[in-house]
């Protein structure tokens, strides 16, 4: 069906529908994906029994109670929004999931509870704040729980689309390999069925270390993880569809998303009583942000089905709007085209679309003919023409940028073709002119956002002149993830490039084409989508399977106009006739013939996961001479990918061996150096000489192991005066590092358990380490007295104020001991910041790595009193200064909340 007949998703849907009607049966929706040959379809037909083909959505028997408005305008992050809903209306249905002919309600409370179970599991897998996690899941409850579970761990979700069919595995792996590698995702969440594909990805992407399936995604207990979020944190990475090149990871913060969602809601007058019906995939920004997260922020219900449900039975989308009273819904242009042209009256019997107040059309070029056909087809079923809402957006602006006002309907601008293609001026065409160009009005910029149309010199153009569309506003991304070159190309000062051409008329924006797709011939602009539509209407040419692009193949000095299209015709005579029809249609439209017409078999024209023509990839296919080459068999694709995986696997194995050898070398060097230093300490008198010996050995050891030591602001250390030192604690290496860099001897305050080792106990005695018993109160008090006496003798205690260490980044709460001592003895506190040791040797791990360590000494903080309150203020001041210098999350709030709820803090 795919390799030989070239049936894409839409063609399979057409075949699927005809088979059901012809045989009077109801096929499972999974047939669209699972069936590979006509024989597979025959097996399904023999297996099923004749049943009436009716809508299987169960109607809502009881009306939902009136929903309460939630003040999400005060929320700064997505978890904040969910938290507000859970606090006010935990049992209110948030999502109505239509899956396998069942209606599955998901309340706000259920979403949070299951997401926290996912978060607990991800935390067990050592997910760190800010770490990307790839999600390759179909539409379902697991997707919603996983997305918020990652957010609750302060991870960064990276949505990916799952493979559609086995024959697409090779391209799927090749495409996602780039995304996962760019994101640096270490974890991939997927379903068991996709695990083989995920393992192929893991073999080719060294960064990907763990595959988590939905079977082992949930922890037994839903541990509360009150990680603090900031509006500047990355909410998720939205990778572009790649219709004009390789996908790029758009950075979207919580502030970007909430600003965009609120602006769209303001324009569309969204309330908690709205119902959004969606079949859009959740890996696409219009389905993820526009449908789901928008519904979450505005408190309206989301009725969601999988894209497969729509492709199998497009009428199900419309039936769902009818049965659930849908007021908002969205689709790319092709969805409206399918419903307008491929549904029979029997499919629509009894349909009522009067509740639908905004029918968004976006994510691909909006065609005027489609709008007219849809309006005419469904007006008898209660659809109001003013509900049509062509919109424009892009991932770089979160999702939406230009929206019409409710009730404005479809507005189509007819302009003079010759004037426009020659000069770029959009002059109105006379009504009698049949060859006029038509462009759809998308409305005006969202509140708080601005757009402009500029020429090649960055000068703003007057109305009705075509130019590059640029924008700015609170929804705008800060750039592309780990792609500084692409980010620089995106920005023009404060303005961002959309990559599209447009003109403005009476304040409304009309999108004309993609910049990369525009073809300039003889001083005229050629718009590919217009010619593609005309060619697609030629009998014998597969509709929606035409790509028009410019090529410089054979090193010609001028661009060639190429039409690449598909047909099932195979005889030379039929193909020659089709080529002539394509040439004639091109001349009629553009008054010039194409330079080359290539008609390939079905499956030739490349598309994105959302059905957009990948013109850039089609041009590369044409220039490589591979047009018409059939897709390889599945076994051959797997073999090729297996061979390609050998190199990355060998490199990964070599890296592991290298790291293992390095770790062994480090411990051997430490053991030998430690033995020499211990012997030296035993013969030297305790005090400054022992400290200098240990420090010199540390510096030699670091150089031998390739570890860089750097100190900053050493002059802040009040050498020769009385003081105590407070440091953060990242790793077991911290005390070793400080011994090697501090300018004069300091006396570590350590837990008494370390002295159980007789060799360590002897070394500690020589270095003047203060040992404090944490479990025996009487002994602990006596040990504290020793520190007081040491201070009076001029010793400099060094405290790791957090009291413990953990493997995850962040500054833990400070213990009071050091600050009480500083106030009582009126000693200045010298804050010391250690960076880098956690990356070299993490808590709970004994596997060292190369790295750089930086020790920063901050100016001393002086106490102004001797009481407990002053000690608290001194602690707060020191900790705040260390936080600003450290640049890591503040975990004090997290630990306070955990202790208040009686939960165990994370393992140290």
């Amino acid at each position: 069906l795919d390799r030989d007949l070239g049936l894409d998703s839409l063609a399979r849907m057409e075949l699927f529908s005809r088979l059901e009607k012809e045989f009077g049966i109801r096929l499972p929706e999974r047939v669209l994906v699972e069936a590979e040959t006509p024989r597979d379809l025959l097996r399904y037909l023999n297996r099923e029994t004749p049943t009436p083909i009716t809508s299987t959505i169960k109607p809502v028997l009881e009306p939902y109670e009136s929903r309460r408005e939630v003040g999400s305008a005060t929320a700064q992050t997505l978890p904040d929004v969910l938290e507000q809903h859970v606090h006010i209306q935990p049992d209110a249905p948030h999502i109505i999931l239509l899956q396998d002919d069942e209606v599955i309600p998901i309340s706000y409370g259920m979403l949070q509870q299951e997401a926290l179970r996912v978060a607990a599991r991800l935390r067990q897998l050592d997910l760190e704040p800010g770490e990307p996690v790839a999600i390759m899941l179909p539409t379902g409850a697991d997707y919603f729980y996983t997305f918020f579970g990652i957010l609750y761990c302060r991870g960064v979700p990276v949505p990916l689309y799952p493979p559609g069919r086995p024959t697409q595995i090779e391209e799927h792996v090749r495409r996602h390999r780039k995304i996962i590698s760019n994101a640096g995702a270490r974890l991939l969440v997927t379903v068991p069925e996709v695990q083989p594909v995920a393992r192929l990805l893991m073999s080719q992407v060294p960064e990907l270390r763990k595959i988590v399936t939905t079977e082992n995604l949930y922890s037994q207990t839903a541990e509360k993880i009150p990680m603090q979020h900031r509006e500047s944190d990355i909410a998720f990475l939205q990778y572009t569809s790649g219709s004009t090149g390789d996908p790029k990871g758009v950075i979207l913060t919580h502030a970007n998303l909430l600003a965009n969602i609120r602006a769209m809601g303001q324009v569309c007058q969204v309330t908690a009583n709205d119902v959004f019906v969606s079949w859009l995939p959740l890996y696409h920004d219009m389905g993820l942000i526009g449908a789901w997260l928008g519904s979450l922020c505005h408190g309206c219900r989301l009725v969601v089905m999988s894209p497969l449900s729509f492709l199998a039975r497009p009428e199900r989308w419309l039936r769902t709007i009818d049965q659930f009273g849908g007021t908002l819904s969205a689709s790319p242009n092709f969805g409206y085209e399918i419903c307008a042209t491929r549904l029979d009256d029997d499919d629509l019997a009894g349909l009522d679309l009067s509740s639908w107040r905004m029918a968004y059309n976006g994510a691909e070029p909006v065609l005027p003919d489609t709008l007219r056909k849809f309006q005419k087809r469904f007006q008898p079923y209660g659809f109001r023409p003013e509900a049509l809402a062509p919109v424009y957006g892009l991932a770089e602006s979160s999702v939406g940028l230009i929206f019409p006002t409710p009730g404005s309907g479809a507005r189509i601008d007819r302009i003079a073709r010759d004037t426009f293609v020659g000069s770029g001026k959009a002059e109105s065409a006379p009504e009698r002119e049949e060859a006029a160009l038509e462009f759809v009005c998308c409305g005006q910029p969202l509140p708080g956002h601005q757009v402009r149309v500029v020429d090649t010199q960055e000068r703003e153009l007057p109305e009705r002149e075509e130019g590059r569309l640029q924008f700015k506003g609170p929804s705008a991304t800060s750039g592309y993830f780990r792609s500084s070159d692409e980010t620089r190309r995106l920005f023009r000062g404060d303005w961002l490039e959309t990559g599209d051409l447009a003109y403005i008329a009476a304040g409304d924006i009309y999108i004309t084409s993609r910049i990369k797709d525009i073809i300039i011939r003889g001083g005229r602009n050629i718009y590919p989508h217009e010619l593609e539509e005309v060619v697609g209407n030629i009998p014998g040419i597969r509709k929606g399977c035409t790509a028009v692009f410019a090529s410089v193949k054979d090193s010609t000095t001028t661009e060639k106009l190429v039409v690449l299209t598909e047909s099932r015709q195979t005889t030379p005579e039929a193909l020659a006739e089709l080529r002539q029809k394509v040439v004639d249609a091109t001349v009629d439209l553009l008054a010039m013939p194409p330079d080359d017409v290539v008609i390939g078999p079905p499956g030739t024209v490349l598309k994105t996961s959302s059905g957009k023509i990948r013109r850039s990839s089609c041009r590369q296919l044409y220039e490589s001479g591979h047009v018409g080459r059939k897709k390889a068999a599945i076994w051959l694709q797997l073999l090729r990918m297996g061979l390609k995986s050998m190199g990355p696997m060998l490199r990964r194995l070599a890296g592991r061996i290298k790291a293992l050898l390095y770790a062994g070398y480090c411990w051997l060097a430490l053991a030998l150096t430690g033995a020499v230093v211990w012997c030296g300490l035993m013969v030297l008198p305790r005090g400054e000489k022992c400290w200098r010996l240990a420090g010199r050995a540390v510096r030699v050891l670091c150089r031998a192991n390739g570890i860089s030591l750097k100190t900053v602001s050493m002059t802040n250390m009040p050498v020769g005066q009385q003081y105590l030192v407070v440091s953060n604690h990242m790793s077991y290496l911290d005390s070793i590092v400080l011994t090697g860099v501090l300018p004069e001897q300091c006396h570590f305050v350590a837990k008494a358990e370390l002295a159980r080792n007789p060799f360590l106990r002897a070394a500690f005695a020589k270095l003047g380490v203060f040992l404090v018993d944490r479990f025996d109160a009487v002994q602990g008090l006596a040990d504290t007295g020793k520190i007081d006496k040491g201070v009076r003798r001029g010793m400099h205690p060094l405290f790791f104020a957090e009291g413990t260490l953990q493997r995850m980044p962040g500054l833990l709460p400070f213990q009071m001991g050091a600050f009480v001592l500083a106030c009582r003895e009126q000693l200045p506190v010298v804050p010391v910041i250690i960076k880098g040791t956690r990356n070299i040797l993490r808590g709970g791990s004994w596997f060292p790595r190369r790295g750089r360590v930086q020790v920063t000494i901050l100016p001393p903080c002086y106490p102004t009193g001797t009481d407990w309150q002053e000690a608290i203020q001194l602690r707060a001041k020191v900790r705040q200064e260390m936080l600003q210098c450290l640049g890591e999350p503040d975990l004090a709030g997290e630990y306070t909340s955990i202790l208040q709820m009686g939960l165990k803090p994370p393992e140290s």
Side-chain angles (χ1 to χ4, degrees):
L1 296 177
D2 182 39
R3 186 182 62 189
D4 297 323
L5 301 180
L7 299 187
D8 59 12
S9 298
L10 296 182
R12 283 172 174 249
M13 177 268 289
E14 180 71 19
L15 177 60
F16 185 91
S17 176
R18 293 185 185 185
L19 288 173
E20 286 193 326
K21 293 176 180 177
E22 180 69 23
F23 291 92
I25 65 172
R26 184 175 187 80
L27 290 170
E29 293 172 0
R30 65 178 185 275
V31 175
L32 272 176
V33 175
E34 294 180 356
E36 287 298 320
T37 65
R39 179 178 295 170
D40 295 336
L41 292 172
L42 184 59
R43 290 197 183 106
Y44 280 110
L45 291 173
N46 288 330
R47 190 181 307 162
E48 302 296 327
T49 57
T51 55
I53 303 175
T54 58
S55 175
T56 59
I57 301 174
K58 299 177 183 178
V60 182
L61 301 178
E62 298 180 3
Y64 292 118
E65 62 182 6
S66 178
R67 304 168 70 83
R68 299 177 60 183
E69 296 283 349
V70 175
S72 61
T74 61
Q76 294 186 332
T77 66
L78 293 174
D80 291 344
V81 175
L82 180 57
E83 193 70 34
Q84 290 181 1
H85 283 296
V86 173
H87 179 70
I88 295 175
Q89 48 185 5
D91 299 326
H94 164 42
I95 299 168
I96 309 298
L97 178 62
L98 308 181
Q99 193 169 24
D100 298 329
D101 297 337
E102 293 185 26
V103 177
I104 305 173
I106 300 176
S107 67
Y108 296 105
M110 186 186 305
L111 173 60
Q112 185 189 61
Q113 183 73 7
E114 294 304 304
L116 286 172
R117 291 180 58 205
V118 173
R121 173 63 177 146
L122 293 176
R123 189 154 187 170
Q124 293 168 5
L125 296 172
D126 299 328
L127 179 67
E128 297 184 6
E131 182 179 343
V133 180
I135 307 175
M136 193 189 291
L137 293 172
T139 299
D142 292 323
Y143 195 105
F144 301 110
Y145 301 150
T146 300
F147 190 92
F148 257 92
I150 296 170
L151 289 182
Y152 272 120
C153 287
R154 285 190 69 188
V156 179
V158 182
L160 304 175
Y161 65 92
R165 293 183 292 277
T167 51
Q168 299 174 331
I169 287 178
E170 187 171 16
E171 184 180 357
H172 189 86
V173 170
R174 184 168 58 247
R175 190 168 181 78
H176 282 349
R177 178 181 61 199
K178 297 178 181 178
I179 293 177
I180 294 177
S181 179
N182 176 259
R186 187 173 54 88
L187 296 175
L188 170 65
V189 181
T190 187
V191 292
E193 295 81 3
V194 184
Q195 196 167 10
V197 178
R199 293 198 179 281
L200 284 172
L201 278 171
M202 190 166 65
S203 69
Q204 297 189 24
V205 183
E207 294 87 351
L208 187 59
R209 300 297 179 88
K210 181 71 176 178
I211 298 171
V212 185
T213 65
T214 51
E215 294 175 341
N216 56 8
L217 180 61
Y218 299 89
S219 174
Q220 293 296 322
T221 57
E223 181 181 355
K224 181 72 174 178
I225 307 178
M227 295 290 289
Q228 294 182 350
H229 294 75
R230 297 185 298 268
E231 61 179 356
S232 59
D233 288 343
I234 300 177
F236 74 98
L237 296 177
Q238 177 66 56
Y239 276 83
T240 58
S241 61
S243 57
T244 59
D246 289 337
K248 301 180 287 289
V250 179
I251 299 172
L252 296 177
T253 65
H254 291 278
N256 293 149
L257 291 175
L258 292 179
N260 198 245
I261 290 169
R262 287 163 182 160
M264 291 189 294
Q266 179 182 340
V267 170
C268 301
Q269 302 168 14
V270 180
T271 70
N273 293 320
D274 277 306
V275 177
F276 200 120
V277 176
S278 176
W279 58 265
L280 301 171
L282 292 172
Y283 55 77
H284 192 273
D285 51 8
M286 195 157 72
L288 177 61
I289 306 172
W292 176 32
L293 298 180
S295 299
L296 174 69
C297 291
H298 296 299
C300 55
R301 286 188 299 276
L302 172 66
V303 183
V304 63
M305 66 182 76
S306 74
L308 189 61
S309 296
F310 170 76
L311 291 175
R313 299 181 184 86
E315 70 275 10
R316 191 175 188 188
W317 175 36
L318 306 177
R319 291 283 181 190
T320 304
I321 294 174
D322 177 6
Q323 295 183 357
F324 285 88
T327 59
L328 309 171
S329 196
S331 169
N333 191 82
F334 82 87
Y336 292 96
E337 180 73 23
I338 289 173
C339 292
T341 58
R342 300 194 183 185
L343 296 181
D344 298 333
D345 290 339
D346 293 341
D347 298 322
L348 307 177
L351 181 67
D352 181 7
L353 298 178
S354 59
S355 65
W356 198 357
R357 69 178 186 86
M358 292 206 77
Y360 305 109
N361 185 333
E364 64 184 32
V366 181
L367 302 181
D369 279 345
T370 299
L371 298 178
R372 286 191 284 259
K373 285 185 287 188
F374 189 86
Q375 174 182 320
K376 181 179 179 180
R377 182 74 174 92
F378 292 100
Q379 228 172 327
Y381 298 97
F383 181 77
R384 293 169 292 168
E386 60 269 21
L388 285 172
V391 296
Y392 171 80
L394 64 166
E396 288 79 358
S397 182
S398 297
V399 62
L401 179 60
I402 302 170
F403 268 57
T405 56
S408 57
R411 290 172 289 167
I412 300 170
D413 193 19
R414 299 182 76 255
I415 62 175
R417 176 186 299 276
D418 291 340
T419 303
F420 187 73
V421 299
S423 65
K425 295 183 178 181
E427 297 179 356
S428 297
E431 289 294 331
R432 62 182 180 275
E433 184 177 335
E434 297 182 359
L437 281 171
E438 291 186 325
F439 295 111
V440 176
C441 173
C442 294
Q444 298 183 356
L446 293 173
H449 297 70
Q450 300 180 47
V451 300
R452 68 176 186 178
V453 175
V454 300
D455 61 14
T456 55
Q457 305 300 318
E458 304 293 328
R459 293 174 299 194
E460 196 160 350
L461 292 170
E463 286 204 348
R464 289 198 167 273
E465 283 198 24
E466 184 191 43
R468 301 194 337 264
L469 183 66
Q470 298 177 343
F471 76 99
K472 64 179 178 179
S475 304
T477 178
S478 60
Y480 298 116
F481 191 69
R482 296 170 66 178
S483 185
S484 56
D485 292 340
E486 292 293 340
T487 298
R488 280 193 294 272
R489 282 191 282 269
L490 174 66
F491 282 88
R492 295 292 183 272
D494 294 337
W495 296 87
L496 288 80
E497 294 280 3
T498 64
D500 289 308
L501 297 172
Y503 66 89
I504 300 176
D508 292 321
I509 291 89
Y510 295 81
I511 308 298
T512 59
S513 178
R514 295 287 300 174
I515 294 175
K516 291 184 178 180
D517 294 336
I518 201 74
I519 304 168
I520 302 176
R521 289 294 305 277
R524 300 179 56 182
N525 290 346
I526 298 173
Y527 299 89
H529 67 271
E530 187 186 20
L531 180 55
E532 288 166 356
E533 185 181 7
V534 170
V535 173
N537 290 328
I538 297 175
I541 296 294
R542 302 188 70 215
K543 191 172 181 63
C545 299
T546 300
V548 175
F549 51 85
S551 172
V552 289
K553 186 181 178 183
D554 301 328
S555 300
T556 56
T557 56
T558 59
E559 290 185 330
K560 296 169 55 179
L561 174 60
V562 180
V563 178
L564 174 63
T565 188
E566 298 179 5
S567 176
R568 300 191 190 282
Q569 301 292 335
T570 56
T571 63
E573 296 80 7
L575 291 175
E577 183 179 353
L578 282 178
R579 285 193 187 92
Q580 188 58 47
K581 289 181 179 179
V582 171
V583 171
D584 293 342
T586 305
V587 172
D588 290 342
L589 181 67
L590 305 177
M592 66 175 69
D595 294 291
D596 196 5
V597 176
V598 181
I599 303 177
T604 297
V605 176
L606 303 178
K607 300 179 181 180
T608 69
S609 60
S610 57
K612 296 180 185 176
I613 300 296
R614 294 167 56 190
R615 297 187 182 97
S616 177
S617 298
C618 288
R619 181 176 62 250
Q620 294 173 10
L621 182 70
Y622 169 79
E623 293 175 350
S624 68
H626 291 164
V627 172
R629 180 176 295 182
K630 289 185 178 181
K631 293 182 180 179
I634 298 175
W635 68 267
L636 183 56
Q637 292 187 39
L638 294 174
L639 177 61
R640 285 201 299 235
M641 285 186 294
L643 293 175
K644 287 181 180 179
S645 300
M646 293 299 295
M649 289 176 66
L650 290 175
R651 287 193 294 271
R652 181 182 296 180
L653 179 61
R656 289 179 178 176
I657 294 174
K658 184 178 179 181
L660 184 63
L661 292 174
Y662 174 75
Y665 165 76
C666 285
W667 288 116
L668 179 61
L670 179 63
L672 294 175
T673 306
V676 173
V677 171
W678 189 87
C679 293
L681 292 177
M682 293 305 103
V683 300
L684 289 174
R686 69 172 61 187
E688 191 69 26
K689 290 184 178 180
C690 289
W691 176 265
R692 286 201 298 268
L693 172 64
R696 190 175 295 111
V698 167
R699 293 189 290 273
V700 171
L701 183 63
C702 288
R703 282 196 296 269
N705 290 326
I707 297 174
S708 170
L709 286 181
K710 179 182 178 182
T711 56
V712 178
S713 302
M714 186 66 73
T715 55
N716 286 327
M717 181 71 75
V719 178
Q721 303 177 29
Q722 277 196 312
Y723 59 87
L724 62 82
V725 178
V726 167
S727 174
N728 62 316
H729 203 5
M730 286 189 166
S731 167
Y732 295 119
L733 297 177
D734 292 344
S735 55
I736 297 177
V737 167
L738 291 178
T739 303
V741 300
L742 293 180
E744 66 176 337
Q745 183 177 11
C746 291
H747 303 268
F748 293 97
V749 178
K751 54 188 178 182
E753 302 97 278
L754 295 175
R756 293 173 184 170
N757 185 304
F759 292 99
L760 284 179
R761 185 167 62 247
F764 287 166
K766 288 288 188 174
L767 292 171
V769 175
F770 294 115
L771 298 172
V772 179
D773 196 309
R774 300 184 297 168
F775 305 107
D776 187 330
V778 176
Q779 183 60 45
L781 188 60
D783 294 336
T784 304
K786 294 178 182 178
I787 301 176
D788 294 343
K789 294 178 182 177
V791 169
R792 297 187 186 104
R793 295 199 307 269
M795 301 174 74
H796 309 300
L798 192 156
F799 293 83
F800 291 111
E802 294 168 281
T804 185
L805 61 89
Q806 63 167 10
R807 66 177 312 280
M808 295 176 62
L811 195 64
L812 298 172
F814 280 3
Q815 307 296 321
M816 285 295 297
F819 307 98
V820 171
L821 175 62
C823 289
R824 186 170 62 239
E825 301 293 335
Q826 288 295 288
L827 295 176
V829 177
V830 180
V832 174
I833 301 295
I834 304 174
K835 295 181 181 179
T837 54
R838 182 183 286 114
N839 294 329
I840 297 174
L841 184 66
R842 290 183 178 270
S845 170
W846 298 102
F847 202 88
R849 294 177 173 85
R850 286 185 176 86
R852 296 181 178 181
V853 178
Q854 176 177 302
V855 177
T856 304
I857 300 175
L858 302 181
C861 296
Y862 293 86
T864 58
T866 59
D867 59 3
W868 178 263
Q869 189 63 36
E870 174 58 29
I872 293 176
Q873 293 178 4
L874 180 62
R875 179 183 66 170
K877 179 182 179 182
V878 171
R879 193 171 186 280
Q880 185 60 36
E881 291 188 2
M882 293 178 69
L883 264 176
Q884 291 177 358
C885 180
L886 184 60
E888 289 190 354
D890 184 357
L891 301 182
E894 174 187 356
Y895 267 66
T896 301
S897 300
I898 289 176
L899 295 174
Q900 287 174 350
M901 291 184 292
L903 299 175
K904 289 179 62 178
E907 292 296 327
S908 299

